[in-house]
Every structure is written in structure tokens, then in C-alpha cells.
Amino acid sequence: PSQHEYHLYAVVNHNGTLDSGHYTAYVKYQNDWFWIDDACVMLCSEADVFNSNAYMLFYTLKFAEVK
């Protein structure tokens, strides 16, 4: 049997209405989170990511064998 573990590595945010708005993203690179807005990339905190207006979440799957 195997146990699945997921790691959040990106979050897409949407601000605005259904008809219009603006998208930004948070991306994890190594152990740091970055906020991306058009041509701007800034280092941010994990708290910024978890408190964001999340629209889509992206995960990687890590398998761990259980013996």
C-alpha cells in the first residue's frame, strides 16, 4: 500500500468580477514563495499565499511507501 502526500506549489488569484478582473499568481520555488503580477515578481511570505483570493490551486503528488 502507498500513502499520498500533496504539496502546494502554485496559486492563481482573481480580483474583480466574472466579466472582468485581473489575475496574479503565487509560485513556490525551492523553499520560497513569489508573488507574480504581469512583469513584476516579488518574494512574499507563506501567510500571503494562504490569505490570498485563490481561484486555482496547483499541487504535486509525492508517493511514500508504507511498510
Coordinates of all heavy atoms in Angstrom, one line a residue:
P1 N 0.8 -1.2 0.0 CA 0.0 0.0 0.0 C 0.9 1.3 0.0 O 2.0 1.2 0.5 CB -0.8 -0.1 1.3 CG 0.0 -1.0 2.2 CD 0.7 -1.9 1.3
S2 N 0.3 2.3 -0.5 CA 1.1 3.6 -0.6 C 0.2 4.7 0.0 O -1.0 4.6 0.0 CB 1.5 4.0 -2.0 OG 0.3 4.2 -2.8
Q3 N 0.9 5.7 0.6 CA 0.2 6.8 1.1 C 0.5 8.1 0.3 O 1.7 8.2 -0.1 CB 0.7 7.1 2.6 CG 0.0 8.2 3.3 CD 0.5 8.3 4.7 OE1 1.1 7.4 5.3 NE2 0.2 9.4 5.3
H4 N -0.5 8.9 0.0 CA -0.2 10.0 -0.9 C -0.1 11.3 -0.1 O -0.8 11.5 0.9 CB -1.4 10.2 -1.9 CG -1.7 9.0 -2.7 ND1 -0.8 8.6 -3.7 CD2 -2.7 8.1 -2.7 CE1 -1.3 7.5 -4.3 NE2 -2.4 7.2 -3.7
E5 N 0.9 12.1 -0.5 CA 1.1 13.4 0.1 C 1.2 14.4 -1.0 O 1.8 14.2 -2.0 CB 2.4 13.4 0.9 CG 2.7 14.6 1.7 CD 4.0 14.5 2.5 OE1 4.3 13.5 3.0 OE2 4.7 15.6 2.5
Y6 N 0.5 15.5 -0.8 CA 0.4 16.6 -1.8 C 1.1 17.8 -1.3 O 1.0 18.1 -0.1 CB -1.1 16.9 -2.1 CG -1.8 15.8 -2.8 CD1 -2.5 14.8 -2.0 CD2 -1.8 15.6 -4.1 CE1 -3.1 13.8 -2.5 CE2 -2.5 14.6 -4.7 CZ -3.2 13.6 -3.9 OH -3.9 12.6 -4.5
H7 N 1.8 18.5 -2.2 CA 2.5 19.7 -1.9 C 2.0 20.9 -2.8 O 2.0 20.8 -4.0 CB 4.0 19.6 -2.1 CG 4.6 18.5 -1.2 ND1 4.9 18.8 0.1 CD2 4.9 17.2 -1.4 CE1 5.4 17.7 0.6 NE2 5.4 16.7 -0.3
L8 N 1.5 21.9 -2.2 CA 1.1 23.1 -2.9 C 2.3 23.8 -3.5 O 3.2 24.1 -2.8 CB 0.3 24.1 -1.9 CG -0.3 25.3 -2.5 CD1 -1.4 25.0 -3.5 CD2 -0.8 26.2 -1.4
Y9 N 2.2 24.1 -4.8 CA 3.4 24.8 -5.4 C 3.0 26.0 -6.2 O 3.8 26.8 -6.6 CB 4.2 23.9 -6.3 CG 3.5 23.5 -7.6 CD1 3.7 24.3 -8.7 CD2 2.7 22.4 -7.7 CE1 3.1 23.9 -9.9 CE2 2.1 22.0 -8.9 CZ 2.3 22.8 -10.0 OH 1.7 22.5 -11.2
A10 N 1.6 26.3 -6.4 CA 1.2 27.5 -7.1 C -0.2 27.8 -6.8 O -1.0 26.9 -6.5 CB 1.4 27.3 -8.6
V11 N -0.6 29.1 -6.8 CA -1.9 29.5 -6.6 C -2.2 30.7 -7.6 O -1.4 31.6 -7.7 CB -2.1 30.1 -5.1 CG1 -3.5 30.7 -4.9 CG2 -1.8 29.0 -4.1
V12 N -3.3 30.5 -8.3 CA -3.7 31.6 -9.2 C -4.8 32.4 -8.5 O -5.7 31.8 -7.9 CB -4.2 31.1 -10.5 CG1 -4.8 32.2 -11.4 CG2 -3.1 30.3 -11.3
N13 N -4.8 33.7 -8.5 CA -5.7 34.6 -7.9 C -6.5 35.4 -8.9 O -5.9 35.7 -9.9 CB -5.0 35.5 -6.9 CG -4.3 34.8 -5.8 OD1 -4.9 34.3 -4.9 ND2 -3.0 34.8 -6.0
H14 N -7.7 35.7 -8.6 CA -8.5 36.5 -9.5 C -9.2 37.6 -8.6 O -9.8 37.4 -7.6 CB -9.6 35.8 -10.2 CG -10.4 36.6 -11.1 ND1 -11.7 37.1 -10.7 CD2 -10.2 37.1 -12.3 CE1 -12.2 37.9 -11.7 NE2 -11.3 37.9 -12.7
N15 N -9.0 38.9 -9.0 CA -9.6 40.0 -8.4 C -10.5 40.7 -9.4 O -10.0 41.0 -10.5 CB -8.6 41.0 -7.8 CG -7.8 40.4 -6.7 OD1 -8.4 40.0 -5.7 ND2 -6.5 40.3 -6.8
G16 N -11.7 40.9 -9.1 CA -12.6 41.6 -10.0 C -14.0 40.9 -10.1 O -14.4 40.2 -9.1
T17 N -14.6 41.0 -11.2 CA -15.9 40.4 -11.4 C -15.8 39.2 -12.4 O -14.7 39.0 -12.9 CB -17.0 41.4 -11.9 OG1 -16.5 41.8 -13.2 CG2 -17.0 42.6 -11.0
L18 N -16.9 38.5 -12.6 CA -16.9 37.5 -13.6 C -16.7 38.0 -15.0 O -16.2 37.3 -15.9 CB -18.3 36.7 -13.6 CG -18.6 35.9 -12.4 CD1 -20.0 35.3 -12.4 CD2 -17.5 34.8 -12.2
D19 N -17.1 39.3 -15.3 CA -16.9 39.9 -16.6 C -15.5 40.5 -16.8 O -15.1 40.6 -18.0 CB -18.0 40.9 -16.9 CG -19.4 40.4 -16.9 OD1 -19.5 39.2 -17.3 OD2 -20.3 41.1 -16.5
S20 N -14.9 40.9 -15.8 CA -13.6 41.5 -15.9 C -12.8 41.3 -14.6 O -13.4 41.0 -13.6 CB -13.7 43.0 -16.3 OG -14.2 43.7 -15.2
G21 N -11.5 41.6 -14.7 CA -10.7 41.4 -13.5 C -9.3 41.3 -13.8 O -8.8 41.5 -15.0
H22 N -8.5 40.9 -12.8 CA -7.0 40.8 -13.0 C -6.6 39.5 -12.3 O -7.0 39.2 -11.2 CB -6.4 42.0 -12.4 CG -4.9 42.0 -12.6 ND1 -4.3 42.3 -13.8 CD2 -3.9 41.9 -11.7 CE1 -3.0 42.2 -13.7 NE2 -2.7 42.0 -12.4
Y23 N -5.7 38.8 -13.0 CA -5.1 37.6 -12.4 C -3.7 37.8 -11.9 O -2.9 38.5 -12.5 CB -5.1 36.5 -13.5 CG -6.4 36.0 -13.9 CD1 -7.1 36.5 -14.9 CD2 -7.0 34.9 -13.1 CE1 -8.3 36.0 -15.3 CE2 -8.3 34.5 -13.5 CZ -8.9 35.0 -14.6 OH -10.1 34.5 -14.9
T24 N -3.4 37.3 -10.8 CA -2.0 37.2 -10.2 C -1.7 35.8 -9.8 O -2.6 34.9 -9.8 CB -1.8 38.2 -9.0 OG1 -2.7 37.8 -8.0 CG2 -2.0 39.6 -9.4
A25 N -0.5 35.5 -9.4 CA -0.2 34.1 -9.0 C 0.9 34.2 -8.0 O 1.7 35.1 -7.8 CB 0.4 33.3 -10.2
Y26 N 0.9 33.1 -7.2 CA 2.0 32.8 -6.2 C 2.6 31.5 -6.7 O 1.9 30.5 -7.0 CB 1.4 32.6 -4.8 CG 0.9 33.9 -4.2 CD1 -0.4 34.2 -4.2 CD2 1.8 34.8 -3.5 CE1 -0.9 35.4 -3.6 CE2 1.3 36.0 -3.0 CZ 0.0 36.2 -3.0 OH -0.5 37.4 -2.4
V27 N 3.9 31.4 -6.7 CA 4.6 30.2 -7.1 C 5.7 29.9 -6.1 O 6.4 30.8 -5.6 CB 5.2 30.4 -8.5 CG1 6.0 29.2 -8.9 CG2 4.2 30.7 -9.5
K28 N 5.8 28.7 -5.7 CA 6.9 28.2 -4.8 C 8.0 27.8 -5.6 O 7.9 26.9 -6.4 CB 6.3 27.1 -3.8 CG 7.3 26.8 -2.7 CD 6.7 25.9 -1.7 CE 7.6 25.7 -0.5 NZ 7.0 24.8 0.5
Y29 N 9.2 28.3 -5.3 CA 10.4 27.9 -5.9 C 11.4 27.5 -4.8 O 11.8 28.4 -4.0 CB 11.0 29.0 -6.8 CG 12.3 28.6 -7.4 CD1 12.4 27.6 -8.4 CD2 13.5 29.2 -7.0 CE1 13.6 27.2 -9.0 CE2 14.7 28.8 -7.6 CZ 14.7 27.8 -8.6 OH 15.9 27.4 -9.1
Q30 N 11.8 26.3 -4.8 CA 12.6 25.7 -3.7 C 11.8 25.9 -2.4 O 10.7 25.4 -2.3 CB 14.0 26.3 -3.7 CG 14.8 25.9 -4.9 CD 16.2 26.5 -5.0 OE1 16.5 27.4 -4.2 NE2 16.9 26.0 -5.9
N31 N 12.3 26.7 -1.4 CA 11.5 26.9 -0.2 C 10.9 28.3 -0.1 O 10.4 28.7 1.0 CB 12.4 26.6 1.0 CG 12.7 25.2 1.2 OD1 11.8 24.3 0.9 ND2 13.9 24.8 1.6
D32 N 11.0 29.1 -1.1 CA 10.5 30.5 -1.1 C 9.2 30.6 -2.0 O 9.1 30.0 -3.0 CB 11.5 31.4 -1.6 CG 12.7 31.5 -0.7 OD1 12.5 31.5 0.5 OD2 13.9 31.6 -1.2
W33 N 8.3 31.5 -1.5 CA 7.1 31.8 -2.3 C 7.4 33.2 -3.0 O 7.9 34.1 -2.4 CB 5.9 31.9 -1.4 CG 5.4 30.6 -1.0 CD1 5.6 29.9 0.1 CD2 4.5 29.8 -1.8 NE1 4.9 28.7 0.1 CE2 4.2 28.6 -1.1 CE3 3.9 30.0 -3.1 CZ2 3.3 27.7 -1.6 CZ3 3.0 29.0 -3.5 CH2 2.8 27.9 -2.8
F34 N 6.8 33.3 -4.2 CA 7.0 34.5 -5.0 C 5.6 34.9 -5.5 O 4.8 34.1 -5.9 CB 7.9 34.3 -6.2 CG 9.3 34.1 -5.8 CD1 9.8 32.8 -5.6 CD2 10.2 35.1 -5.7 CE1 11.1 32.6 -5.2 CE2 11.5 34.9 -5.3 CZ 11.9 33.6 -5.0
W35 N 5.3 36.2 -5.5 CA 4.1 36.8 -6.0 C 4.4 37.3 -7.4 O 5.4 38.1 -7.6 CB 3.6 37.9 -5.1 CG 2.4 38.6 -5.6 CD1 1.1 38.1 -5.6 CD2 2.3 40.0 -6.1 NE1 0.3 39.1 -6.1 CE2 1.0 40.2 -6.4 CE3 3.3 40.9 -6.3 CZ2 0.6 41.4 -7.0 CZ3 2.9 42.1 -6.9 CH2 1.5 42.4 -7.2
I36 N 3.5 37.0 -8.4 CA 3.8 37.3 -9.7 C 2.6 38.1 -10.3 O 1.4 37.7 -10.1 CB 4.0 36.1 -10.6 CG1 5.2 35.3 -10.1 CG2 4.2 36.5 -12.1 CD1 5.3 33.9 -10.7
D37 N 2.9 39.3 -10.8 CA 1.8 40.2 -11.3 C 2.4 40.8 -12.6 O 3.2 41.7 -12.6 CB 1.5 41.3 -10.3 CG 0.4 42.2 -10.8 OD1 -0.3 41.9 -11.8 OD2 0.2 43.2 -10.1
D38 N 1.9 40.3 -13.7 CA 2.4 40.8 -15.1 C 3.9 40.7 -15.1 O 4.4 39.6 -15.1 CB 1.8 42.2 -15.4 CG 0.3 42.2 -15.5 OD1 -0.2 41.1 -15.9 OD2 -0.3 43.2 -15.3
A39 N 4.6 41.8 -15.2 CA 6.1 41.8 -15.3 C 6.8 41.9 -13.9 O 8.0 42.1 -13.9 CB 6.5 42.9 -16.2
C40 N 6.0 41.8 -12.8 CA 6.6 42.0 -11.5 C 6.7 40.7 -10.8 O 5.7 40.0 -10.7 CB 5.8 43.0 -10.7 SG 6.3 43.4 -9.1
V41 N 7.8 40.4 -10.2 CA 8.0 39.2 -9.4 C 8.6 39.7 -8.0 O 9.6 40.3 -8.0 CB 8.9 38.1 -10.0 CG1 9.1 36.9 -9.1 CG2 8.3 37.7 -11.4
M42 N 7.9 39.3 -6.9 CA 8.4 39.7 -5.6 C 8.4 38.5 -4.6 O 7.4 37.7 -4.7 CB 7.5 40.8 -5.1 CG 7.6 42.1 -5.8 SD 6.5 43.4 -5.2 CE 6.9 43.5 -3.5
L43 N 9.4 38.5 -3.8 CA 9.4 37.5 -2.7 C 8.3 37.8 -1.7 O 8.0 39.0 -1.4 CB 10.7 37.6 -2.0 CG 11.0 36.5 -0.9 CD1 11.1 35.1 -1.5 CD2 12.3 36.8 -0.2
C44 N 7.6 36.8 -1.2 CA 6.5 37.0 -0.3 C 6.5 35.9 0.8 O 7.3 35.0 0.7 CB 5.1 37.0 -1.0 SG 4.7 35.5 -1.8
S45 N 5.6 36.0 1.7 CA 5.5 35.0 2.8 C 4.5 34.0 2.5 O 3.6 34.2 1.7 CB 5.1 35.7 4.1 OG 3.8 36.2 4.1
E46 N 4.6 32.8 3.2 CA 3.6 31.8 3.0 C 2.2 32.3 3.5 O 1.2 31.9 3.0 CB 4.0 30.6 3.8 CG 3.2 29.3 3.6 CD 3.8 28.1 4.3 OE1 3.7 28.1 5.5 OE2 4.2 27.2 3.5
A47 N 2.2 33.2 4.5 CA 0.9 33.7 5.0 C 0.2 34.5 3.9 O -1.0 34.5 3.8 CB 1.2 34.6 6.2
D48 N 1.0 35.2 3.1 CA 0.4 36.0 1.9 C -0.3 35.0 1.0 O -1.4 35.3 0.5 CB 1.5 36.7 1.1 CG 2.1 37.8 1.9 OD1 1.5 38.4 2.8 OD2 3.3 38.1 1.6
V49 N 0.3 33.9 0.8 CA -0.3 32.8 -0.1 C -1.6 32.3 0.5 O -2.6 32.3 -0.2 CB 0.7 31.7 -0.4 CG1 0.1 30.6 -1.2 CG2 2.0 32.2 -1.0
F50 N -1.5 31.9 1.7 CA -2.7 31.3 2.4 C -3.8 32.3 2.6 O -5.0 31.9 2.8 CB -2.3 30.6 3.7 CG -1.4 29.4 3.5 CD1 -0.6 29.0 4.5 CD2 -1.4 28.7 2.3 CE1 0.3 27.9 4.4 CE2 -0.6 27.6 2.2 CZ 0.2 27.2 3.2
N51 N -3.5 33.6 2.6 CA -4.6 34.6 2.8 C -5.0 35.2 1.5 O -5.7 36.2 1.5 CB -4.1 35.7 3.8 CG -3.9 35.2 5.2 OD1 -4.8 34.5 5.7 ND2 -2.8 35.5 5.8
S52 N -4.6 34.7 0.4 CA -4.9 35.3 -0.9 C -6.3 34.9 -1.4 O -7.0 34.0 -0.8 CB -3.9 34.8 -1.9 OG -4.0 33.5 -2.2
N53 N -6.7 35.5 -2.4 CA -8.0 35.3 -3.1 C -7.9 34.2 -4.1 O -7.9 34.4 -5.3 CB -8.5 36.6 -3.7 CG -10.0 36.6 -4.1 OD1 -10.7 35.7 -3.7 ND2 -10.3 37.5 -5.0
A54 N -7.7 33.0 -3.6 CA -7.4 31.8 -4.5 C -8.5 31.5 -5.5 O -9.7 31.4 -5.1 CB -7.0 30.6 -3.7
Y55 N -8.1 31.3 -6.7 CA -9.0 30.9 -7.8 C -8.7 29.5 -8.2 O -9.6 28.7 -8.5 CB -8.8 31.9 -9.0 CG -9.7 31.6 -10.2 CD1 -11.1 31.7 -10.2 CD2 -9.1 31.1 -11.4 CE1 -11.8 31.4 -11.3 CE2 -9.8 30.8 -12.5 CZ -11.2 31.0 -12.4 OH -11.9 30.7 -13.5
M56 N -7.4 29.1 -8.4 CA -7.0 27.8 -8.7 C -5.8 27.4 -7.8 O -4.9 28.3 -7.6 CB -6.6 27.6 -10.2 CG -7.8 27.8 -11.1 SD -7.5 27.4 -12.8 CE -5.9 27.9 -13.2
L57 N -5.7 26.2 -7.4 CA -4.5 25.7 -6.7 C -3.8 24.6 -7.5 O -4.5 23.8 -8.1 CB -5.0 25.1 -5.3 CG -5.9 26.0 -4.4 CD1 -6.4 25.2 -3.2 CD2 -5.1 27.2 -4.0
F58 N -2.5 24.5 -7.4 CA -1.7 23.5 -8.1 C -0.9 22.8 -7.1 O -0.2 23.3 -6.2 CB -0.8 24.2 -9.1 CG -1.6 24.8 -10.3 CD1 -2.1 26.1 -10.1 CD2 -1.8 24.2 -11.4 CE1 -2.8 26.7 -11.1 CE2 -2.5 24.8 -12.5 CZ -3.0 26.0 -12.3
Y59 N -0.9 21.4 -7.2 CA -0.2 20.5 -6.3 C 0.7 19.6 -7.1 O 0.4 19.2 -8.2 CB -1.2 19.7 -5.5 CG -2.1 20.5 -4.6 CD1 -3.3 21.0 -5.0 CD2 -1.7 20.7 -3.2 CE1 -4.1 21.7 -4.1 CE2 -2.5 21.4 -2.3 CZ -3.7 21.9 -2.8 OH -4.5 22.6 -1.9
T60 N 1.7 19.1 -6.4 CA 2.5 18.0 -6.9 C 2.1 16.8 -6.0 O 1.8 17.0 -4.8 CB 4.0 18.2 -6.9 OG1 4.4 18.6 -5.6 CG2 4.4 19.3 -7.9
L61 N 2.2 15.6 -6.5 CA 2.0 14.4 -5.7 C 3.2 13.7 -5.4 O 4.1 13.5 -6.2 CB 1.0 13.5 -6.5 CG 0.7 12.1 -5.9 CD1 0.0 12.3 -4.6 CD2 -0.1 11.3 -6.9
K62 N 3.4 13.4 -4.1 CA 4.6 12.7 -3.6 C 4.1 11.4 -3.1 O 3.2 11.3 -2.2 CB 5.3 13.5 -2.5 CG 6.5 12.8 -2.0 CD 7.2 13.6 -0.9 CE 8.4 12.9 -0.3 NZ 9.0 13.6 0.8
F63 N 4.7 10.3 -3.5 CA 4.4 9.0 -3.0 C 5.3 8.6 -1.9 O 6.5 8.8 -1.9 CB 4.5 7.9 -4.1 CG 3.5 8.0 -5.2 CD1 3.7 8.7 -6.3 CD2 2.2 7.4 -5.0 CE1 2.7 8.8 -7.3 CE2 1.3 7.5 -5.9 CZ 1.5 8.2 -7.1
A64 N 4.8 8.0 -0.9 CA 5.6 7.5 0.3 C 5.1 6.1 0.5 O 3.9 5.8 0.8 CB 5.3 8.4 1.5
E65 N 6.0 5.1 0.4 CA 5.7 3.7 0.7 C 5.5 3.5 2.2 O 6.3 4.0 3.0 CB 6.8 2.8 0.2 CG 6.9 2.7 -1.3 CD 5.6 2.1 -1.9 OE1 5.1 1.2 -1.4 OE2 5.2 2.6 -3.0
V66 N 4.5 2.8 2.5 CA 4.2 2.4 3.9 C 4.5 1.0 4.1 O 4.0 0.1 3.4 CB 2.7 2.7 4.3 CG1 2.4 2.2 5.7 CG2 2.3 4.1 4.0
K67 N 5.4 0.7 5.0 CA 5.8 -0.8 5.2 C 5.4 -1.2 6.6 O 5.2 -0.5 7.5 CB 7.3 -0.9 5.1 CG 7.7 -0.5 3.7 CD 9.2 -0.7 3.6 CE 9.6 -0.3 2.2 NZ 11.0 -0.6 1.9

